[in-house]
Amino acid sequence: MISVAVFLVAFVGSLVGALCLLGHGVGQLLPGAERARADRPLRAGAALAGSVASALCALGLFCVGGAVVSAEDGGTDSAPIIPCRTGDAERDGLIVDYAVSYVPLGFECSRNDGTRYLTDDVPGYVNPGIALFGLAGASGAVLVGYRTELRARRAA
């Protein structure tokens, strides 16, 4: 099952990371930033792409957390597990457990025959968005570092 401490650290870390990267990206776009003028748009783009990836991660974690809270609800009408219900009573009767998937972000339901499936609790755009914006942000950061290193070698 999901550890509450791990979930909270990941969720808060994603939110803080998104806000910090957003602030850094916007700061690069403001006039008077003390960075190399040629790299400011690239630095801003990398930071803003990372901010979007981090915010999407926080959104996905929020959705997974909501599904876990719903699954752990032990009240009446809690069997089968609420997020795993499909509407087909015969198939829903086979659900025995759930698991949280962090890569890709999702809520997995397990049936008694050993099959597993991801529910639609996490919106479909979250995982591809994390991958694309994360890759764009990381690529931009590597490119900024490469250009800075080239400039430093030319100056030496």
Side-chain angles (χ1 to χ4, degrees):
M1 298 301 150
I2 186 172
S3 168
V4 175
V6 170
F7 171 76
L8 286 176
V9 167
F11 180 70
V12 171
S14 294
L15 283 178
V16 169
L19 292 175
C20 289
L21 286 169
L22 178 66
H24 180 69
V26 169
Q28 289 297 312
L29 295 174
L30 294 176
E34 297 297 324
R35 300 278 184 216
R37 297 244 181 240
D39 285 343
R40 283 176 56 194
L42 187 57
R43 288 175 189 266
L48 293 174
S51 175
V52 170
S54 189
L56 285 172
C57 189
L59 173 65
L61 286 167
F62 181 76
C63 293
V64 168
V68 168
V69 167
S70 182
E72 291 293 322
D73 179 25
T76 59
D77 193 36
S78 62
I81 300 170
I82 295 170
C84 296
R85 293 180 186 172
T86 61
D88 182 5
E90 185 177 319
R91 291 180 68 190
D92 288 350
L94 301 175
I95 298 168
V96 293
D97 200 11
Y98 73 91
V100 172
S101 169
Y102 288 103
V103 178
L105 272 173
F107 187 85
E108 285 184 340
C109 297
S110 302
R111 294 190 180 114
N112 61 0
D113 62 358
T115 60
R116 302 181 123 197
Y117 65 95
L118 282 173
T119 64
D120 59 353
D121 288 308
V122 176
Y125 59 85
V126 169
N127 288 313
I130 291 170
L132 291 175
F133 283 105
L135 183 61
S139 299
V142 168
L143 186 57
V144 166
Y146 178 73
R147 290 176 64 175
T148 303
E149 178 68 21
L150 282 180
R151 250 187 273 111
R153 287 184 184 199
R154 283 187 204 141

